[in-house]
Amino acid sequence: MKKRINIAIDGPSGVGKTVMSTMLAKKLEYKFLSSGSFYRVIAYNAILNNIDLENEQAVNDAWHIEDLHVTEDDKIIFKNEDVTLKIREDNISRGASSIAKFPSVREKVNKFIQTFGAKYKGIIVDGRDATYRILPDAEVKFFLWATPEVRAMRRVKQDHEMGIESKYEDVLESMKIRDYNDMNRAVDPLKVSEGSIEIDTSDMSIDENFEAMYQEVLKRL
Ligand code: C5P
């Protein structure tokens, strides 16, 4: 049987972690989990139930690990509802960034992912702390980077293609705020962890970025 490994990918918002993870998962026939999507689910649940996003205990008591399921075709089911698309909305992104600072929430999210990962060898996890907290034993670890300006430009282009007209200055501002929050929070901040392969994607196309990562993965297979 072919050797299967675990892959962890960290990096700031909008750097392309999910696109790269999805491409790698398809090529390698691995399962991919985006850890950010679970912070989004918890924020969605809190907002839906009018819970104060600054109240750690109320936010965390409002969900249980058993409420969460990821289907074979990667849909996220929460309390029997398919929330895959709902959690992508802008207010949920902001909420997720806010509740992600709570240690009790992080602990529960990590437990869910680690339990899931124990069942599948050949898992790809992306996030902010995937390389050193969620999958510290991953055989390959990446830190993806691009300047906030490049990431904002890519997001505006992507929005335009989906028929959404967003303003570059607004997107850039929100990107910088999320970077600041993610890098400066006390618990498990975004950082280049030991053993991570750093890739600056600012001047790379999607294919070049994928190829750079895939070659690193192949070295370990
Ligand atoms: O990656 P994504 O944008 O979906 O993540 C949503 C939010 O969850 C991020 O803004 C970040 O603050 C938080 N997050 C985190 N740790 C992770 C993944 C995401 O704190 N491992």
Side-chain angles (χ1 to χ4, degrees), residues 10-14 17-18 34-40 88 92-94 96-98 100-101 106 109-110 113 125-130 134 178 181-182 185 187-188:
D10 285 331
S13 297
K17 299 183 297 292
T18 299
S34 181
S35 59
S37 60
F38 306 119
Y39 293 103
R40 289 171 180 270
R88 307 315 309 176
I92 308 291
S93 305
R94 284 193 299 275
S97 174
S98 164
K101 64 178 177 283
R106 303 195 69 83
V109 165
N110 292 344
I113 301 174
V125 177
D126 82 2
R128 309 296 184 287
D129 58 344
I134 310 176
R178 284 220 269 163
N181 287 341
D182 286 347
R185 68 164 172 245
V187 188
D188 295 347

Side-chain angles (χ1 to χ4, degrees), residues 97-203:
S97 174
S98 164
I99 59 98
K101 64 178 177 283
F102 298 139
S104 61
V105 170
R106 303 195 69 83
E107 202 178 304
K108 218 148 78 171
V109 165
N110 292 344
K111 197 164 165 212
F112 171 78
I113 301 174
Q114 285 159 353
T115 308
F116 192 96
K119 279 192 269 175
Y120 285 84
K121 179 92 186 192
I123 193 167
I124 304 174
V125 177
D126 82 2
R128 309 296 184 287
D129 58 344
T131 58
Y132 68 94
R133 183 71 65 217
I134 310 176
L135 290 182
D137 298 328
E139 283 85 350
V140 194
K141 301 176 179 187
F142 291 106
F143 182 90
L144 296 187
W145 176 252
T147 62
E149 287 74 15
V150 167
R151 286 182 275 134
M153 202 91 82
R154 288 179 186 163
R155 177 61 52 86
V156 170
K157 192 165 160 259
Q158 195 183 46
D159 284 349
H160 180 74
E161 282 160 8
M162 293 194 303
I164 304 164
E165 294 312 319
S166 47
K167 231 173 100 201
Y168 172 77
E169 286 74 19
D170 295 345
V171 176
L172 179 61
E173 180 64 18
S174 124
M175 213 58 104
K176 285 183 175 170
I177 292 172
R178 284 220 269 163
D179 281 3
Y180 183 86
N181 287 341
D182 286 347
M183 291 175 192
N184 293 285
R185 68 164 172 245
V187 188
D188 295 347
L190 173 66
K191 62 180 181 189
V192 185
S193 72
E194 207 188 314
S196 291
I197 300 159
E198 280 185 75
I199 301 181
D200 185 344
T201 74
S202 302
D203 297 316

